[in-house]
Amino acid sequence: MGGVVKSIEEINRRIAAGEAVVVNAEEMIAIVEEKGPVKAAEEVDVVTTGTFAPMCSSGALFNLGHPSPKIKIEQAWLNGVPAYGGLAAVDIYLGATALPADDPRNKVYPGTFRYGGGHVIEDFVAGKEISLKATGYGTDCYPRRELETVITKETVNEAMLLNPRNCYQNYACAVNGSDRLIYTYMGMLKPELGNATYCSAGQLSPLLNDPYYRTIGVGTRIFLGGGIGHVISHGTQHNPCAPRGPNGVVTAPAGTLAVMGDLKQMSPKWLRGVSMVGYGASLAVGIGIPIPIIDEEMARFTGVKDSEIYTEVIDYGLHYATGGGEPLARVSYAELRSGTITIRGKKVPTAPISSYSKALEIANILKEWILSGKFTLSTPVASLPGPESGYSPKGMKA
Amino acid sequence: MKFSKKVVLEFPQHTWDQPIIYALNTKYDLMFNIIKAKITPRQEGVMTLELSGDKENFDKGIEFLKEVGVRVRFLAGDIERDEKLCTHCGLCTVICPTDALSLNRDTMEVSFDKERCVGCELCVPLCPFKAIIMNIPSHSQRNSLQNNRRGNKKP
């Protein structure tokens, strides 16, 4: 390891003094290429990353405040979308993929899923009035059995974005090798490898710039939905033991983050309801994570570029649903971004689901926040399980 | 000089027995390429086609269509992309058959070229952010279509 070693405290002092050098992960590529990782680590203090894409494992936790007489909410609906009431009296959790009872789903195939939990969250953050209906069974302390009112971000006590799995470190590229058109969470896939979709910001993506979770950990302060949030844990299905290339970068879906933040300070620009035809509703979440360049290795990691990041091409028509089959190919993000990949000799057009231009916008906003002194870096209070942990997700017997 | 434009024609019921497109071709020497044609539940016909020919003949042809009661609008105004709603994810570019929706591979931003759009509407349900919008005819225009039809039923 080179001689440069900086502490996060030192970087924060430079931020406070207005002396920090902050660049986004795209700019860092050229700096590392030109100057090498040692010099880059000396010169750059922070690299900002970003991602903006549908992230289904997202939701909002509300404390609604007590009406008079009080109610112990058992079932609740926000704009007709069911929320989970199995918590204390007026705490409810709304999942991003929840759908109103009267949505026809895929009964008329493919369903369009125009309004679900993610859309309620977007409307709430936008300051709109949200209708609340709730029922309870009545107790001596909570006698009310029905409730019908309107809530806004002004009326509720807490509104927290609480997402169990966001920010996937790499994701598969989806194709369809079957002979019929299919609709998936990766979008519409035409038969016989008619098109390919992918969902990662690649060289801008947070965990692809810190492949071994050296700086991103529990307690890391982040840009979340336009406000400030935190990493609260590794996410569900965290898989640090996924295969890695010689540069340490995972070549399949791997690490994940659980994140949380105050919904009231977020923006509908960075939390957007999503309707995936034939699949369901979701929430697109904007996340930006600063990476402190504490040494030469972090400079090298953040200098990673699309041509050095690979992912697997998975057949969602034949293999994904049952979990069998081998990846059809391994492709780089540079190839994916070019618009065409080659699978089994066939040229297949590609399209992203993750917005690269919005990811870049987020990385630049975070950069501005840090340069202006509004946002400082935090030292994680615990590390995420890394490849040495042996931690990996299991399947289910069913 | 050759002139070409994509038009959407709405045929009220009373026009059904008239060879209108044939007349466009033979009387006004307009070449037509049918992009889409359907019959609505109200038994009105809707057809999207590209008309090419001499500009003067094109204008006369459009005039003729209006005279026989066909409602004409130009396709370019039919499908809109709401810039505020678009997140430039790029998913719509999968389905667009004419590359009217395309992703600039440098900026990774989606552009929408109205002139290339043929109004197939495939992108409308596919956009996860509902950013692609169909401009449907206004209420008064719909009413006038219906009045035409009712008028025709009078003895």
Side-chain angles (χ1 to χ4, degrees), chain A residues 85-238:
Chain A
L87 301 161
V90 289
D91 284 340
I92 59 170
Y93 184 79
L94 175 70
T97 69
L99 295 169
D102 59 2
D103 185 292
R105 273 91 178 156
N106 268 338
K107 279 176 195 148
V108 182
Y109 180 82
T112 52
F113 306 98
R114 302 310 268 176
Y115 197 85
H119 301 89
V120 179
I121 293 170
E122 179 184 335
D123 283 345
F124 178 86
V125 174
K128 293 184 186 166
E129 291 192 336
I130 308 290
S131 90
L132 165 69
K133 282 185 191 172
T135 58
Y137 48 81
T139 72
D140 290 337
C141 46
Y142 296 107
R144 187 194 283 260
R145 289 170 187 231
E146 281 180 356
L147 181 71
E148 207 168 323
T149 184
V150 163
I151 63 161
T152 67
K153 60 179 173 183
E154 311 301 328
T155 70
V156 302
N157 288 318
E158 287 80 22
M160 307 168 190
L161 190 70
L162 175 54
N163 302 350
R165 180 170 72 257
N166 278 180
C167 226
Y168 241 115
Q169 184 182 26
N170 211 343
Y171 210 81
C173 165
V175 294
N176 172 16
S178 79
D179 59 5
R180 73 175 185 99
L181 183 76
I182 61 170
Y183 295 93
T184 72
Y185 66 82
M186 294 294 281
M188 186 210 68
L189 297 169
K190 296 182 201 170
E192 280 142 25
L193 311 180
N195 67 304
T197 57
Y198 65 100
C199 195
S200 170
Q203 62 196 14
L204 278 176
S205 181
L207 290 177
L208 289 173
N209 280 278
D210 185 5
Y212 292 104
Y213 330 118
R214 286 188 66 218
T215 68
I216 299 172
V218 179
T220 297
R221 189 180 296 124
I222 61 173
F223 171 109
L224 179 59
I228 291 173
H230 293 90
V231 173
I232 57 170
S233 164
H234 61 277
T236 53
Q237 277 173 224
H238 181 64

Side-chain angles (χ1 to χ4, degrees), chain A residues 24-33 37 47 49 201-211 246-250 291 293 297-310 333 356:
Chain A
N24 68 44
E26 200 180 80
E27 294 163 335
M28 188 63 170
I29 295 167
I31 295 172
V32 174
E33 261 176 8
V47 170
T49 63
Q203 62 196 14
L204 278 176
S205 181
L207 290 177
L208 289 173
N209 280 278
D210 185 5
N247 56 357
V249 176
V250 290
I291 298 181
I293 304 306
E297 189 179 40
M298 289 317 298
R300 187 166 61 77
F301 283 151
T302 50
V304 75
K305 52 181 180 281
D306 279 343
S307 60
E308 302 162 342
I309 307 170
Y310 286 82
Y333 279 89
Y356 187 89

Side-chain angles (χ1 to χ4, degrees), chain A residues 114 190 272 275 337 352 355, chain B residues 85 87 89 105-106 128 130:
Chain A
R114 302 310 268 176
K190 296 182 201 170
R272 294 282 305 278
S275 303
R337 188 171 163 176
S355 171
Chain B
L85 295 180
T87 69
C89 71
R105 299 285 162 175
D106 291 324
K130 304 181 196 113

Side-chain angles (χ1 to χ4, degrees), chain A residues 10-83:
Chain A
E10 207 177 316
I11 294 172
N12 276 339
R13 275 197 296 275
R14 291 170 61 78
I15 293 172
E19 292 165 357
V21 176
V22 186
V23 300
N24 68 44
E26 200 180 80
E27 294 163 335
M28 188 63 170
I29 295 167
I31 295 172
V32 174
E33 261 176 8
E34 189 190 322
K35 302 184 173 175
V38 177
K39 196 93 173 55
E42 278 169 18
E43 288 181 13
V44 177
D45 296 305
V46 185
V47 170
T48 59
T49 63
T51 181
F52 183 76
M55 302 189 196
C56 288
S57 206
S58 299
L61 184 67
F62 300 95
N63 177 282
L64 302 165
H66 286 283
S68 177
K70 290 177 181 172
I71 182 170
K72 178 180 184 299
I73 293 176
E74 191 177 16
Q75 289 187 290
W77 295 266
L78 293 170
N79 282 355
V81 179

Side-chain angles (χ1 to χ4, degrees), chain A residues 52 114 119 188 190 195 197-198 272-275 277 284 336-339 350-358, chain B residues 84-96 103 105-109 124-132:
Chain A
F52 183 76
R114 302 310 268 176
H119 301 89
M188 186 210 68
K190 296 182 201 170
N195 67 304
T197 57
Y198 65 100
R272 294 282 305 278
V274 165
S275 303
V277 61
L336 288 167
R337 188 171 163 176
S338 77
T350 63
I353 304 171
S354 180
S355 171
Y356 187 89
S357 63
K358 293 289 165 192
Chain B
K84 285 201 293 292
L85 295 180
C86 175
T87 69
H88 299 276
C89 71
L91 194 58
C92 57
T93 62
V94 161
I95 194 128
C96 182
L103 190 59
R105 299 285 162 175
D106 291 324
T107 61
M108 294 302 277
E109 287 187 351
V124 175
L126 204 68
C127 172
F129 300 99
K130 304 181 196 113
I132 303 169

